[in-house]
Amino acid sequence: MLSEKDFIVSSYSSIDYAAFECSAPSNIALVKYWGKKENQIPANPSISFTLNNCKTITKVNFTKKKSKNDFLFDLLFEGKPKEDFKPKILKFFQRIETYCPYLKEYHIVIDTQNTFPHSSGIASSASGMAALAMNVMSLEKEINSNLTDDLFYKKASFLARLGSGSACRSIKGEVVAWGKNESIAESSDLFGVEFNNINENFNNYQDTILLVDKGEKQVSSTVGHELMFGHPYAEKRFEQAHDNLAKITKILLEGNIEEFIKIVESEALTLHAMMMTSMPYFILMKPNTLEIINKIWKFRNETNIPVCFTLDAGANVHILYPENVSVKVLQFIKDELVAFCQNGHYICDQIGNGAESK
Ligand code: PMV
């Protein structure tokens, strides 16, 4: 079992210049992470589908500098300097300094872009932090020849977690679990682990993301997680997440889509129920979120097509369905759901494999 100290690099060489390009996808949780302890340790385990099309692509170059006293970095977003992203990146570098002491030796230029519109309400922190962590690990691989492939990916996930919790599930694998739990022997609070051998019923599972509200969220995930401290239902919720994780891992192996739907939709509504019962309470769903949910339920009842929804910490709706019903579901989305999307916008995605380095 790896512990935090296993991620501290003990010896490394030094190079004058290196440049990398890595991409990492977004992910959508089936069992939700909501609530955390110190150091980005999750209060409960979670599991997600890795997406394929919604990605962050990040180029980073590292140029050796004289002083090793401070972090020095420039940040470009879509080719232009982006000062307001810098504090989050600085905080990330500070959090990972113990594990990546070499970073202060370089002037770092980060050039990042998303394949999805920035103002789409799709969180770019998971894909963004995962892509950055992959670039950092690409440098570490250059300067530490002892780094194994296994440790490369585990440490990339470990670092991504320190940037944004759920980002650790965006590194490797189609289905990734994060948080120690009894159902997955190798699971860890420190990094995400690939969940293998999923049933063929979930092959190329589709996720169409309906963009209900592209605006800035009124309450950030960071604040939402904090509100689980002292939350009257927190302990029961954490227990329930463990139970649901045990159930969904079995379902993913056996391929029972009917049972999958029950857990996934219940998890989405429970996440939002936690928000609504926090103090202060808040609501991130919009009227159109509920319109869409009701339409999905009606369509599923009438057609028996196994389509379901999930939500992340926002108003957008992720519609999940098997590939073999995609023609019918896309028609249903166009006919009945697009009207509830902001400017009629939605994004077609599906399960993918994780981060890539060029
Ligand atoms: O990784 P964060 O801190 O942005 O939290 C993400 C929380 C949810 O998206 C709501 C759930 C999850 O497990 O991804």
Side-chain angles (χ1 to χ4, degrees), residues 29 32-34 46 125 164-166 169 221 225 271 312-313:
K32 310 288 183 182
Y33 148 60
W34 199 242
S46 58
S125 58
S164 171
S166 60
R169 298 188 313 238
S221 295
H225 287 294
L271 168 70
D312 54 19

Side-chain angles (χ1 to χ4, degrees), residues 171-227:
I171 299 291
K172 191 167 182 280
E174 295 192 332
V175 181
V176 180
W178 168 42
K180 190 77 201 125
N181 68 85
E182 278 176 15
S183 325
I184 305 173
E186 67 280 15
S187 61
S188 170
D189 283 343
L190 300 179
F191 50 86
V193 297
E194 195 171 351
F195 184 70
N196 288 312
N197 302 322
I198 63 162
N199 188 280
E200 61 182 8
N201 289 350
F202 296 103
N203 282 357
N204 297 329
Y205 222 71
Q206 305 288 302
D207 180 2
T208 301
I209 308 163
L210 304 186
L211 306 179
V212 171
D213 187 51
K214 304 187 202 169
E216 190 86 357
K217 282 184 283 188
Q218 295 120 310
V219 180
S220 69
S221 295
T222 310
V223 171
H225 287 294
E226 271 168 21
L227 292 174

Side-chain angles (χ1 to χ4, degrees), residues 261-319:
I261 289 175
K262 285 187 200 158
I263 305 268
V264 168
E265 292 192 343
S266 160
E267 275 288 321
L269 295 179
T270 302
L271 168 70
H272 285 259
M274 290 299 114
M275 299 172 187
M276 290 191 255
T277 48
S278 298
M279 191 56 79
Y281 40 82
F282 60 105
I283 303 180
L284 296 184
M285 288 188 283
K286 296 283 179 195
N288 282 353
T289 312
L290 296 180
E291 295 282 1
I292 291 168
I293 292 173
N294 280 306
K295 289 270 182 196
I296 292 173
W297 284 342
K298 187 162 176 278
F299 177 77
R300 191 166 75 219
N301 280 336
E302 286 171 0
T303 62
N304 272 327
I305 291 175
V307 51
C308 71
F309 73 86
T310 189
L311 307 167
D312 54 19
N316 295 336
V317 183
H318 289 246
I319 306 193

